[in-house]
Amino acid sequence: MAQPIKFGIVGCADIARKLSRAIKLAPNATIVAVGSRFEEKARRFIADNGLPATTRPYGSYESLLDDAEVDAVYLPLPTSLHLRWAVAAAGKGKHILIEKPTALCVADLDQILEACETNGVQFMDCTMWAHHPRTAEMEDFLRNSDQFGQLKIVSSIASIYADSNFLQNNIRVKADLDSLGALGDVGWYCIRAILWASDYNLPKTAVAFPNAIKNEAGLILSCGASLHWEDGTIATFHCSFLAHLTFELVVVGSRGNLSLSDFVIPFEENSAPFTFVSDSGFKELVKGWKSLPSKKVVSTELPQEALMITEFSRLVGEIKDSGAKPEKKWSVFSRKTQVVLDAVKESIEKEFKEVEIVG
Amino acid sequence: MAQPIKFGIVGCADIARKLSRAIKLAPNATIVAVGSRFEEKARRFIADNGLPATTRPYGSYESLLDDAEVDAVYLPLPTSLHLRWAVAAAGKGKHILIEKPTALCVADLDQILEACETNGVQFMDCTMWAHHPRTAEMEDFLRNSDQFGQLKIVSSIASIYADSNFLQNNIRVKADLDSLGALGDVGWYCIRAILWASDYNLPKTAVAFPNAIKNEAGLILSCGASLHWEDGTIATFHCSFLAHLTFELVVVGSRGNLSLSDFVIPFEENSAPFTFVSDSGFKELVKGWKSLPSKKVVSTELPQEALMITEFSRLVGEIKDSGAKPEKKWSVFSRKTQVVLDAVKESIEKEFKEVEIVG
């Protein structure tokens, strides 16, 4: 069996605790180094998260990147730091698993992707739900034209209720660290889900909803938009730090529909449901529906984030051991998501003007 | 026990078959007359729907309205005829149960409501789901600030997949009969549900989504809009004749959320589900949700349309037998729905300009 992929974690953000566990759970990955601006913080992270005693703590991100044993880095840094550290990591030949949103704007992301391309390293963003087996099962339904028909409507809501501590102190609401706010954080998932539902066909335009809610620093706490394709397909999404935890996704085609209420973080780790129906209609005298929606529960031994690590590590292993090329689809998905996100942001800034989406 | 309320049915539209059954099921209502433009059609309707042989067929709407025994009329006429016949019926002292959309515009509806007011007759539109006991149970949840908190987001989809026969021949796509198309038909339910969720607080503005789909006569087959309150609450809806049967409603507050997938026509007649959750959040390391949504199934002996007839007849009975005043809330709900519908239509006509909603 091939050697597990050796990860360095660049930054000790809270989400890195979850991903450390995921790397430990993945059969083909291991953590060998943790970098922080303060070595003591890296050391504490290693101890607190039960990482092997051999894990090397670094007091700077540079020194972690100079560790020749590190195959791949996980970057949970604030979005404003992605460009600098992703480009630096790629320059050192490290494969890159990066938190979302991938960058502050698509121009920044393009620099990251170019650095990955130049250095032949794998790129993947941390949209974990994409790796849940439920996603593949739903895709089978959506791509089956007999069952689902042609895409017509997508509706998505992603909200996390932020307490006052979060609203005052979390990096996701600090303009200098993460200037995309709720749009970059939970909105990313909605946009990605909409693109996934549309088989990654970019919409033609985006129109933000009026009156996005911002904090004092001008950072988005709640917003939404409609996205429009030339064939009349419409998608809408709401993303918010001010509403109760909600991860709704409804996809409606001409012949069927599909819905789920936990698309970002499944209710439970080891199984995840979705509901779908095809070719229904009304009974005589509209006494009810001819066929009722079915619920399917998809089991998984590993949580979605560990499956993401497994897939990323598999791709890195193929590059490392078999001279394969990086899998491009993950950068394509990231880039399309960022392109739409940029258009929504522009529409918010231009008072919900219709903004053309240029891939 | 009081005499059952005696209904006249004005027009033999397909939906009148469903409502005839509802009137038969209601314990306090009965059908005594059916009017059509052709007496033969009225006669056939009486036979086909198993109405009592004593039911009087009329070859004109006027003659039905002149039947002194008729207490109340059910008006399933095309929307363009509502103004004329509702005003005429009220003028004859008939209580009015009217199909939705109530009128082509709020100015027309105001004439109808004024006629009802002047003549002291009850007015109610046929938003059947409002009368399902599920609706009351959901309302208890939504109005409970501990469980639901403050309203933040509403998302609704109502679509009925129309076959080519419907798209060519149904009155709901004929510009001269029902010029509101999908917006007036299924969109009505979305708007009403959004108002219901907001405790009938009118939004401040409406913005239609770009690129509503219209037929050759310019009639709306698919459209949508976002609605905006001053406190930042946003609702969106999609309505369509071009997408698979879908009746989704998601209501998100600061402390909880609620969702259902059959809000207009329940999957089954005698029981209807909804899902809700309060004060959830993530488990340690975001391994899942702290508390999972609960599903509640609400049973009913009578289908929602028979409950509507029962409630309408109860109100009529109180007016008739006890000298009570008409219950105003039903005209208030209708009028607010029509006001928002008008604003959405105006926004579509003005290329998704933001339109102020004036109650």
Side-chain angles (χ1 to χ4, degrees):
Chain A
M1 194 182 150
Q3 283 280 309
I5 300 306
K6 298 187 185 74
F7 275 80
I9 296 179
V10 180
C12 299
D14 205 43
I15 183 76
R17 296 168 52 231
K18 181 181 171 78
L19 268 285
S20 294
R21 173 175 172 259
I23 296 170
K24 287 194 285 179
L25 287 171
N28 56 353
T30 188
I31 300 174
V32 297
V34 173
S36 169
R37 284 169 301 161
F38 310 100
E39 193 180 315
E40 178 48 33
K41 210 173 156 191
R43 208 177 289 281
R44 209 178 328 127
F45 185 93
I46 290 166
D48 288 352
N49 291 281
L51 303 184
T54 54
T55 311
R56 294 178 287 283
Y58 288 106
S60 76
Y61 305 148
E62 287 95 341
S63 45
L64 186 144
L65 296 185
D66 282 331
D67 185 328
E69 211 201 352
V70 168
D71 296 312
V73 290
Y74 164 59
L75 297 176
L77 299 168
T79 313
S80 56
L81 302 179
H82 283 191
L83 173 60
R84 175 175 169 196
W85 292 108
V87 168
K92 299 280 184 179
K94 310 302 186 195
H95 302 277
I96 291 175
L97 182 68
I98 193 166
E99 268 304 330
K100 28 59 58 183
T102 46
L104 293 175
C105 60
V106 76
D108 284 6
L109 177 58
D110 280 343
Q111 289 188 53
I112 296 174
L113 295 179
E114 203 187 309
C116 290
E117 171 93 27
T118 306
N119 294 285
V121 298
Q122 182 63 45
F123 175 92
M124 187 184 279
D125 79 49
C126 284
T127 304
M128 302 182 297
W129 59 261
H131 302 271
H132 197 291
R134 170 172 69 175
T135 304
E137 293 229 19
M138 294 191 295
E139 235 173 274
D140 287 346
F141 176 76
L142 294 178
R143 309 289 188 253
N144 181 323
S145 61
D146 287 342
Q147 290 184 299
F148 182 72
Q150 199 192 341
L151 180 67
K152 297 291 182 184
I153 300 164
V154 191
S155 168
S156 175
I157 304 174
S159 64
I160 293 174
Y161 188 73
D163 57 23
S164 55
N165 176 44
F166 179 104
L167 290 178
Q168 271 159 35
N169 302 315
N170 194 283
I171 60 162
R172 286 177 279 183
V173 291
K174 297 286 181 192
D176 53 336
L177 295 174
D178 240 312
S179 67
L180 299 171
L183 176 61
D185 189 43
V186 276
W188 175 275
Y189 294 121
C190 296
I191 293 172
R192 178 67 164 270
I194 290 166
L195 287 170
W196 167 79
S198 73
D199 207 3
Y200 298 97
N201 283 313
L202 274 179
K204 194 168 177 285
T205 63
V207 184
F209 302 147
N211 312 326
I213 300 176
K214 299 179 179 182
N215 71 6
E216 285 173 8
L219 210 74
I220 297 163
L221 299 179
S222 172
C223 70
S226 59
L227 306 174
H228 309 268
W229 285 258
E230 261 182 298
D231 66 359
T233 302
I234 299 192
T236 50
F237 73 90
H238 297 265
C239 58
S240 180
F241 288 149
L242 306 175
H244 185 272
L245 182 56
T246 300
F247 291 137
E248 284 283 335
L249 179 64
V250 184
V251 190
V252 189
S254 51
R255 304 194 65 170
N257 73 37
L258 175 153
S259 67
L260 65 166
S261 299
D262 61 348
F263 82 99
V264 176
I265 304 287
F267 296 131
E268 298 176 291
E269 272 204 326
N270 295 322
S271 70
F274 69 99
T275 300
F276 61 100
V277 64
S278 279
D279 275 327
S280 193
F282 296 130
K283 287 183 187 166
E284 167 65 6
L285 291 182
V286 200
K287 284 181 191 173
W289 293 40
K290 270 194 309 198
S291 46
L292 303 185
S294 304
K295 183 177 171 178
K296 188 157 196 176
V297 178
V298 182
S299 297
T300 177
E301 277 186 38
L302 288 178
Q304 59 185 9
E305 57 272 22
L307 295 171
M308 175 180 75
I309 298 291
T310 307
E311 175 61 6
F312 176 78
S313 300
R314 185 185 71 78
L315 294 170
V316 171
E318 288 190 355
I319 296 166
K320 213 182 138 188
D321 302 331
S322 324
K325 298 243 175 197
E327 168 60 78
K328 280 290 178 55
K329 75 173 184 185
W330 297 109
S331 32
V332 171
F333 296 167
S334 299
R335 190 177 190 281
K336 288 189 175 186
T337 310
Q338 187 86 44
V339 161
V340 174
L341 195 152
D342 282 14
V344 172
K345 184 163 177 263
E346 184 182 341
S347 182
I348 292 170
E349 284 161 3
K350 293 185 172 167
E351 304 209 318
F352 63 98
K353 189 177 155 270
E354 187 168 23
V355 171
E356 206 176 329
I357 293 170
V358 183
Chain B
M1 193 181 150
Q3 285 279 308
I5 300 307
K6 300 188 183 75
F7 275 81
I9 294 178
V10 181
C12 300
D14 203 45
I15 183 74
R17 297 169 50 234
K18 179 181 172 79
L19 267 285
S20 295
R21 171 174 173 260
I23 296 170
K24 287 194 285 179
L25 286 172
N28 56 353
T30 187
I31 300 173
V32 297
V34 173
S36 169
R37 285 167 300 161
F38 310 100
E39 193 180 314
E40 178 47 31
K41 210 173 156 191
R43 207 177 291 281
R44 208 174 331 124
F45 185 93
I46 290 165
D48 288 350
N49 291 280
L51 303 183
T54 53
T55 311
R56 295 178 287 282
Y58 289 107
S60 76
Y61 305 147
E62 286 94 342
S63 45
L64 184 144
L65 297 184
D66 283 330
D67 184 329
E69 211 202 353
V70 168
D71 296 312
V73 289
Y74 164 60
L75 296 176
L77 298 168
T79 314
S80 56
L81 302 178
H82 284 191
L83 173 60
R84 176 174 170 197
W85 292 107
V87 168
K92 299 281 183 179
K94 310 302 187 196
H95 303 276
I96 291 176
L97 182 68
I98 193 166
E99 268 304 331
K100 29 59 55 183
T102 47
L104 293 175
C105 60
V106 75
D108 285 7
L109 176 59
D110 280 342
Q111 288 188 56
I112 295 173
L113 296 179
E114 202 185 311
C116 290
E117 172 92 27
T118 306
N119 294 285
V121 298
Q122 182 63 45
F123 175 92
M124 187 184 278
D125 78 51
C126 284
T127 304
M128 303 182 296
W129 60 261
H131 302 270
H132 196 291
R134 172 174 65 174
T135 304
E137 293 228 21
M138 293 191 296
E139 235 173 275
D140 287 345
F141 176 77
L142 294 178
R143 309 290 189 252
N144 181 325
S145 60
D146 286 341
Q147 291 184 299
F148 181 72
Q150 199 193 338
L151 181 65
K152 297 291 182 183
I153 300 165
V154 192
S155 168
S156 176
I157 304 174
S159 63
I160 292 174
Y161 188 74
D163 56 23
S164 55
N165 176 43
F166 179 104
L167 289 178
Q168 271 159 35
N169 302 315
N170 194 283
I171 59 163
R172 286 177 279 182
V173 291
K174 298 284 182 194
D176 54 335
L177 295 175
D178 239 312
S179 68
L180 299 173
L183 176 62
D185 189 43
V186 275
W188 175 274
Y189 294 121
C190 295
I191 294 171
R192 179 66 163 271
I194 289 167
L195 288 169
W196 167 80
S198 73
D199 207 4
Y200 298 99
N201 283 313
L202 274 179
K204 195 170 178 283
T205 64
V207 184
F209 302 146
N211 312 324
I213 298 176
K214 299 179 178 183
N215 71 6
E216 284 173 9
L219 210 75
I220 296 163
L221 299 179
S222 173
C223 71
S226 59
L227 306 174
H228 309 268
W229 285 258
E230 261 181 297
D231 65 359
T233 302
I234 298 192
T236 50
F237 73 90
H238 297 264
C239 58
S240 180
F241 287 150
L242 306 176
H244 185 272
L245 181 56
T246 301
F247 291 138
E248 283 284 333
L249 180 63
V250 184
V251 189
V252 189
S254 51
R255 303 194 63 169
N257 74 36
L258 175 153
S259 67
L260 64 166
S261 300
D262 60 347
F263 81 98
V264 177
I265 304 288
F267 295 132
E268 298 176 291
E269 271 204 328
N270 295 322
S271 70
F274 69 100
T275 300
F276 61 101
V277 63
S278 280
D279 276 326
S280 193
F282 296 129
K283 288 184 188 166
E284 167 65 5
L285 291 182
V286 200
K287 284 182 193 172
W289 293 41
K290 269 194 311 197
S291 45
L292 302 185
S294 304
K295 183 177 171 179
K296 190 158 195 174
V297 178
V298 182
S299 297
T300 177
E301 277 185 38
L302 288 178
Q304 58 184 11
E305 57 273 21
L307 295 172
M308 175 180 74
I309 298 291
T310 306
E311 175 61 8
F312 176 79
S313 300
R314 185 185 71 77
L315 294 170
V316 170
E318 287 189 356
I319 297 166
K320 214 181 138 190
D321 302 332
S322 323
K325 299 244 176 198
E327 169 59 78
K328 280 290 177 58
K329 75 173 183 184
W330 298 110
S331 31
V332 171
F333 296 168
S334 299
R335 189 175 192 281
K336 289 189 174 187
T337 310
Q338 188 85 45
V339 161
V340 174
L341 196 152
D342 282 16
V344 172
K345 183 163 176 263
E346 185 183 339
S347 182
I348 292 171
E349 284 161 0
K350 293 184 172 166
E351 305 210 317
F352 63 98
K353 190 177 155 269
E354 186 166 25
V355 171
E356 206 175 330
I357 294 171
V358 184

